[in-house]
């Protein structure tokens, strides 16, 4: 047998062409595009997708490459689900509650008001039936979702005037989206849909009275502290909002098993990375804001209670008419009841003790609110 | 050229022997052994190492295999660091505070009393200087550490009699190890080192008065509820104890870049998996324990304060004589002060609100302590 015919017959020409080093992979190089719902300036949320993509590339020796595009580069941030569904991109990194206009059930991919905190969300997703139920819901959209990130409990937003009573919410023009907006409508708030970059001028001019964004680290960048004095907490509508990698199911199913595993592992890295980065960055930003004159305020208990009851009312309405919502909500809320029971025992008690514990004679850990 | 000589010359015989499928990898198969410090019966802690190992295998198409061995199979659970250091195994999954006998500084790999909670630990490790400082400390042991798991805040253990005052600690024979034992010694506790399997009979016979283990899910398996009535919280000595993959640095450095990245990604999966699994499992176990007659008790504030002050005293002593400890402690405690400041604002407020919030007329979420 001649060399040429042997090579042709066994299909090894490609191997030899690459030289003497081990020269071919198990699988050909795969290139995916990931549309992020976020601008690069939100470096922590945006960075979670880049961390996942870098990890996937690193562990496959560059053979599975995912290029991340900022919001607007391929599609606008709020159209990521559509772009994934119709195959414009293979995947996207997004906050699934952006799509509650299609079906409120999408919210369980991020957060519902008074829902799970970050740890509880992870527990629900991986061991409480979350990923199975949510991916079953996503089937009709041709999307397969992988958890990739969380902001932790967000702040409750910036207000030009104090919120002292439930009545102060009446007529309040607030930049707030999605489900929280629907809940607050019940209390007289007039929700406004405004893109990130337009919030500052709207607040400055008084076109709106209040705006919520994320937390100290991100909020500081947009300068809200210069145009609104009162910074409220907690962001009860986002107690542990999750981010997800939305993957086109057909493309996902075509991945070789090792690349599929790499994608999940990459998202696990992104998941841990994002939460850790926010937690590490928020304290200093909060200190700077408070030093600059921002007034921290907890929402009064009566306001929290009114919002809580409005949320429960909204959930009952949705459960009565939307079986897809009801199926996940029933599981989610039962899981949450059990989590709250457990967290209030040792976890919360530990956190609450340390929140006020001080070494004898120390003043170092005083909260900025008391400055 | 004849086929035989061509194959010989180009070294392709091995490829062809494996059939027509793409048949060799970029790198040869690497097999590592991982010594766990835990028995298989602690399925969540032990499982974190197995999850990491499975992920590494999956994403490398089986070319990087890590076999996990339970405590005692290769070396006893408390000798994992030695086994990694001397190359008996390439890696181990362990709670680094087991090695405080070598140097108390090891404790920062797991927890110190009144230290960081799980989220704060992740933030410190990845973005607070933790992984750099700790791995610098580990250099002399020839170990490279990768974070892989956390139990969350543990319970404060099982007691045959109630702890009502600081004086009740005096003479208390308690199964508790490491740093917490040293702190409690200051308050008159007589710490006992007893392996997991021997705790039950010791508690039953009254050889010891109290014992701490992990949390409801693990404690229930060992049946402590049958021989001690009072279950205290929080486990202030383990507010967010981390687990680590200890790797023999020489072996770690020899890994190809993609396998190294795979190992980190596998540990990231193990990290998320373990915390989520504990959170998902603990509530039901707690319910069963309480239904069976276990009495839940928070440590009285005066007891917490005495323990807190004893811990701070112990830290001051160690900082005065151990520069390695001091270097990490100064960073760790400064980071913690900032984390506490931030968590007490929105995160704790959110958790605390939900801990008591109830839908109008609902009784579903009552805490078991009130049964």
């Amino acid at each position: 047998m001649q060399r040429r015919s042997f090579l042709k017959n066994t299909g090894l020409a490609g191997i030899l062409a690459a030289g003497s080093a081990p020269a071919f992979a198990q699988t050909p190089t795969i290139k995916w595009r990931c549309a992020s719902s976020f601008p690069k300036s939100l470096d922590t949320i945006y960075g979670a997708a880049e961390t996942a993509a870098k990890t996937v590339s690193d562990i496959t020796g560059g053979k599975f490459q995912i290029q991340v595009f900022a919001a607007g580069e391929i599609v606008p941030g709020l159209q990521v689900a559509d772009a994934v569904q119709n195959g414009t991109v293979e995947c996207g990194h997004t906050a699934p509650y952006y799509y509650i206009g299609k079906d409120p059930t999408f919210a369980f991919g991020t957060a519902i008001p008074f829902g799970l905190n970050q740890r509880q969300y992870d527990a629900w997703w991986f061991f409480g039936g979350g990923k199975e139920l949510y991916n079953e819901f996503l089937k009709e959209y041709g999307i397969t979702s992988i958890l990739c990130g969380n902001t932790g409990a967000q702040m409750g937003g910036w207000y030009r005037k104090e919120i002292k009573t439930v009545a102060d919410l009446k007529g309040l023009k607030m930049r707030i989206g999605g489900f929280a907006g629907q809940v607050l409508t019940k209390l007289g708030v007039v929700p406004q849909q405004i893109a990130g970059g337009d919030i500052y001028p709207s607040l400055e001019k008084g076109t709106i009275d209040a705006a919520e964004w994320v937390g100290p680290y991100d909020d500081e960048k947009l300068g809200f502290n210069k145009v609104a004095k009162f910074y409220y907490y907690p962001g009860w509508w986002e107690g542990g909002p999750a981010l997800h990698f939305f993957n086109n199911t057909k493309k996902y199913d075509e991945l070789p098993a090792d690349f599929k595993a790499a994608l999940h592992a990459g998202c696990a890295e992104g998941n841990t990375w994002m939460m850790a980065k926010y937690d590490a960055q928020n304290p200093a930003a909060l200190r700077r804001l408070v030093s600059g004159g921002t007034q921290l305020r907890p929402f009064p208990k009566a306001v929290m209670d009114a919002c809580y009851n409005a949320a429960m009312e909204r959930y009952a309405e949705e459960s009565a008419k939307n079986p897809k919502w009801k199926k996940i909500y029933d599981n989610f809320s039962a899981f949450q009841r059990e989590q709250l029971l457990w967290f209030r025992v040792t976890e919360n008690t530990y956190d609450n003790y340390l929140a006020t514990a001080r070494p004898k004679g120390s003043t170092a850990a005083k909260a900025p609110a008391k400055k």
Side-chain angles (χ1 to χ4, degrees), chain A:
Chain A
M1 188 191 274
Q2 294 300 299
R3 177 177 175 172
R4 184 168 299 276
S5 64
F6 164 70
L7 290 178
K8 194 175 165 191
N9 291 342
T10 56
L12 285 171
I15 303 171
L16 297 172
S20 62
F24 72 113
Q26 283 181 295
T27 35
T29 296
I30 292 180
K31 293 188 182 189
W32 274 21
R33 299 197 305 169
C34 173
S36 171
S37 284
F38 312 100
K40 287 181 185 170
S41 57
L42 286 175
D43 60 353
T44 313
I45 300 191
Y46 181 82
E50 286 211 314
T51 298
K54 183 180 183 311
T55 300
V56 167
S57 175
D58 287 350
I59 62 189
T60 61
K63 291 190 290 294
F64 183 9
Q65 294 169 20
I66 300 172
Q67 191 178 355
V68 183
F69 293 87
E73 287 185 356
I74 299 176
V75 290
L78 303 184
Q79 290 172 28
V80 166
D82 292 312
V84 171
Q85 184 178 2
N86 65 29
T88 303
V89 291
E90 290 82 3
C91 62
H93 186 240
T94 191
Y97 67 178
Y98 289 157
Y99 314 106
I100 59 169
K102 298 176 190 290
D103 187 324
T105 313
F106 269 99
F108 293 106
T110 308
I112 61 171
F114 299 101
L116 301 166
N117 71 17
Q118 178 268 335
R119 258 186 44 190
Q120 295 160 353
Y121 189 92
D122 275 16
W124 176 70
W125 184 257
F126 289 111
F127 294 98
K131 70 174 193 287
E132 294 80 7
L133 286 167
Y134 197 66
N135 275 308
E136 180 187 281
F137 161 70
L138 288 176
K139 259 190 188 158
E140 68 173 289
Y141 299 93
I143 294 172
T144 298
S145 195
I146 305 175
L147 177 64
C148 185
N150 200 300
T151 65
Q154 296 194 3
M155 290 293 285
W158 299 84
Y159 299 74
R160 289 160 56 96
K161 290 182 185 162
E162 282 188 89
I163 303 296
K164 293 183 173 173
T165 68
V166 180
D168 291 335
L169 296 176
K170 207 159 182 72
L172 188 85
K173 282 176 283 177
M174 179 169 182
R175 185 272 175 194
I176 186 166
F179 227 104
Q182 294 176 20
V183 169
L184 283 167
T185 301
K186 290 178 180 286
L187 301 169
V189 169
V190 186
Q192 313 281 316
Q193 305 285 347
I194 301 173
D198 299 329
I199 302 174
Y200 182 97
S202 304
L203 210 47
E204 187 178 29
K205 283 181 223 150
T207 313
I208 57 174
D209 308 303
E212 68 90 35
W213 188 236
V214 182
Y217 180 74
D218 288 329
D219 291 7
E220 185 188 29
K221 288 185 196 172
L222 294 188
F224 299 145
N225 53 312
K226 294 172 201 148
V227 287
K229 189 175 171 187
F230 302 102
Y231 197 20
Y232 274 83
Y233 62 90
W236 48 262
W237 48 91
E238 294 176 298
L243 290 300
H244 284 252
F245 243 66
F246 268 11
N247 305 282
N248 179 288
T249 298
K250 192 168 165 295
K251 291 288 178 185
Y252 174 82
D253 288 344
E254 285 170 8
L255 287 176
D258 52 349
F259 284 11
K260 212 176 272 183
L263 183 60
H264 282 269
C267 288
E269 285 257 25
N271 195 47
T272 297
W273 182 94
M274 179 172 159
M275 188 67 265
K277 188 164 184 281
Y278 265 124
D279 280 338
Q281 290 167 334
N282 274 323
L286 182 68
R287 273 198 185 280
R288 286 189 298 268
L289 290 168
V290 171
S291 301
T294 289
Q295 299 286 310
L296 280 181
R297 292 282 186 279
F299 286 120
K301 170 118 174 50
V303 171
M304 290 291 285
D305 287 346
C307 294
Y308 182 83
N309 290 327
M312 297 305 133
E313 196 180 296
R314 178 70 191 82
Y315 298 153
E317 289 162 13
E318 194 64 30
S319 290
K321 68 184 178 192
N322 184 344
K324 290 178 195 167
W325 164 279
K326 186 175 188 305
K327 184 171 185 182
I328 302 189
Y329 181 74
D330 286 352
N331 167 279
F332 183 97
S333 56
F335 188 83
Q336 183 180 24
R337 279 194 295 275
E338 290 296 293
Q339 289 295 299
L340 291 174
L341 178 152
W342 164 233
F343 271 70
R344 67 186 287 180
V345 177
T346 200
E347 197 76 37
N348 293 1
T349 307
Y350 185 75
D351 287 343
N352 288 332
Y353 180 78
L354 280 171
T356 56
R358 297 288 174 273
K360 285 177 196 159
S362 163
T363 57
K366 272 191 184 157
K370 300 201 171 165
K371 269 190 183 170

